[in-house]
């Protein structure tokens, strides 16, 4: 039986220093391999991987663009949801493990870097928790879409006490007048 993860192997020991690019057409097979279950399926995603090798440290950039079949959270209508995302990782060849999620540690004995899990994670994290079909968004005048910085402005920052500056778009959590005795 063919190992579905083998196609995501990058032979790092045979790569010369410099930039190397790899492309993958990812389908639902990768999601199924990891046992991921959610209310979406039929992933069709184009993945571009860029690996810059500099000795025992490498930079891994993953860009994804595609769509998935899902169902609207309001109407239960089936539709294809476009997804697009990117992420970067540092790859180090060393003996000491790390807790940093953005650092991939390989043993000096490893000859390949399998990027399948990292591609999978970027895809899964690109799918929004709430999904609205185009017909619902059109009928509701945009209701159901995530709030954007443009709608709220980007000047609502918490001060050192955790209070938000007064702004017509933000309701205060509490006011100083109400907390003083």
């Amino acid at each position: 039986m063919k190992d579905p993860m083998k196609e995501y192997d990058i032979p790092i020991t045979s790569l010369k220093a410099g930039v190397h690019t790899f492309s993958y057409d990812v389908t639902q097979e990768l999601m199924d391999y990891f046992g991921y279950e959610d209310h979406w399926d039929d992933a069709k995603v184009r993945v571009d991987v860029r690996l810059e090798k500099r000795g025992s440290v490498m930079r891994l950039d993953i860009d994804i663009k595609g769509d998935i079949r899902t169902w609207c959270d309001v109407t239960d209508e089936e539709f294809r949801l476009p997804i697009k995302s990117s992420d970067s990782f540092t790859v180090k060849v060393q003996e000491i493990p790390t807790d940093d999620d953005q650092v991939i540690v390989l043993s000096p004995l490893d000859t390949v870097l399998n990027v399948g899990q990292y591609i999978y994670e970027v895809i899964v994290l690109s799918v929004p928790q709430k999904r609205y079909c185009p017909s619902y968004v059109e009928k509701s005048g945009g209701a159901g879409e995530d709030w954007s910085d443009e709608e709220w402005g980007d000047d609502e920052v918490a001060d050192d006490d955790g209070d938000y500056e007064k702004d017509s778009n933000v309701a205060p959590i509490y006011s100083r007048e109400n907390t003083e005795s």
Side-chain angles (χ1 to χ4, degrees):
M1 183 174 176
K2 180 184 163 196
D3 179 7
M5 294 299 288
K6 186 134 180 82
E7 77 174 283
Y8 302 106
D9 283 350
I10 297 176
I12 56 171
T13 54
S14 63
L15 295 178
K16 295 186 187 311
V19 176
H20 306 273
T21 57
F22 306 88
S23 294
Y24 304 94
D25 289 314
V26 176
T27 63
Q28 190 63 33
E29 182 181 24
L30 182 64
M31 305 299 112
D32 294 342
Y33 177 83
F34 286 102
Y36 186 75
E37 292 184 22
D38 195 353
H39 298 287
W40 59 270
D41 61 12
D42 194 24
K44 295 178 183 173
V45 183
R46 177 69 176 177
V47 179
D48 293 313
V49 173
R50 180 181 176 272
L51 181 70
E52 183 177 356
K53 185 175 181 183
R54 293 176 266 146
S56 63
V57 177
M58 295 168 261
R59 179 180 170 96
L60 177 69
D61 298 313
I62 300 174
D63 295 311
I64 66 147
K65 184 177 181 179
D67 59 41
I68 58 168
R69 182 178 61 196
T70 190
W71 291 262
C72 180
D73 287 340
V74 177
T75 66
D76 206 30
E77 177 183 332
E78 181 181 307
F79 71 105
R80 295 213 60 91
L81 176 69
I83 57 173
K84 181 178 179 182
S85 188
S86 61
D87 206 349
S88 296
F89 303 89
T90 300
V91 181
K92 294 182 177 182
V93 177
Q94 63 186 31
E95 295 287 339
I96 304 165
T98 181
D99 290 335
D100 187 342
D101 290 341
Q102 296 305 114
V103 176
I104 301 166
V105 176
L106 298 176
S107 160
L109 301 175
D110 289 335
T111 60
V112 298
L113 167 64
N114 187 291
V115 295
Q117 177 181 345
Y118 308 104
I119 291 171
Y120 161 80
E121 290 173 1
V122 173
I123 292 171
V124 169
L125 292 174
S126 73
V127 178
Q129 290 297 309
K130 296 200 181 255
R131 301 169 197 132
Y132 302 103
C133 63
S135 63
Y136 173 73
V137 172
E138 190 176 297
K139 288 178 189 173
S140 65
E145 294 180 335
D146 292 336
W147 295 108
S148 69
D149 288 341
E150 293 159 5
E151 293 169 16
W152 287 100
D154 56 5
D155 60 344
E156 307 91 329
V157 293
D159 63 18
D160 292 338
D161 295 330
D163 297 331
Y164 282 90
E165 296 175 7
K166 287 200 173 199
D167 184 59
S168 61
N169 291 327
V170 179
I173 298 171
Y174 63 89
S175 66
R176 292 186 189 266
E177 296 99 350
N178 294 341
T179 59
E180 294 179 6
S181 303

